Amino acid sequence: QVQVAESGGGLVQAGGSLRPSCEVSGRTASTFSSRTMGWFRQAPGKEREREFVAHITWTTLTYYVDSVKGRFTISRDNAKKTVYLQMNDLKPEDTAVYYCAAGWPYYSGTSNHRNEYDSWGQGTQVTVSS
């Protein structure tokens, strides 16, 4: 496992933008470049539902849930061991705690499910007002 820490959430009006980031650290952080990194979110009142948002593989392929396609962009900087989620045209329904997760090194599954990740951050709150 690695340590994962999110930052960059906040409060924004509908139509605005945010760019949370996620930094990986720890004894095995050197494996960052070999890991798929994902973002999930948990909306208010849905504590049992952590929804997949986006992932970027260690080969830099990206995948998004339909509701954010065209608005969100995931990227990574292997030198900084950091993943970013550029969120544009935010909507009130994007309000949630956003979690970053690290998959296993060289894992080649779909990476769209919680159980395909072994390290999680504490989350960062994103609130979009109407």
Side-chain angles (χ1 to χ4, degrees):
Q1 290 186 330
V2 293
Q3 281 71 56
V4 178
E6 306 95 336
S7 62
L11 172 64
V12 65
Q13 290 186 330
S17 299
L18 284 172
R19 191 193 189 209
S21 60
C22 163
E23 184 174 1
V24 166
S25 61
R27 186 173 58 85
T28 58
S30 59
T31 61
F32 175 82
S33 62
S34 68
R35 296 175 180 259
T36 290
M37 298 297 296
W39 284 95
F40 290 73
R41 64 186 179 185
Q42 197 160 318
K46 298 185 177 180
E47 284 74 18
R48 301 180 68 178
E49 300 177 31
R50 191 168 294 188
E51 176 191 30
F52 167 79
V53 176
H55 77 236
I56 182 166
T57 71
W58 50 278
T59 58
T60 69
L61 296 176
T62 59
Y63 186 82
Y64 302 90
V65 68
D66 285 347
S67 60
V68 308
K69 285 180 180 177
R71 300 188 297 123
F72 290 12
T73 302
I74 188 171
S75 62
R76 67 191 297 157
D77 183 334
N78 287 340
K80 295 182 178 180
K81 299 182 179 57
T82 299
V83 175
Y84 305 95
L85 186 66
Q86 178 67 47
M87 306 190 295
N88 298 329
D89 189 24
L90 282 161
K91 304 176 180 181
E93 52 264 42
D94 295 317
T95 294
V97 177
Y98 282 71
Y99 295 90
C100 180
W104 292 281
Y106 302 113
Y107 179 73
S108 59
T110 63
S111 298
N112 295 346
H113 302 96
R114 292 181 59 176
N115 60 2
E116 296 180 282
Y117 295 84
D118 74 331
S119 302
W120 291 81
Q122 294 300 307
T124 185
Q125 177 70 46
V126 171
T127 303
V128 185
S129 63
S130 58

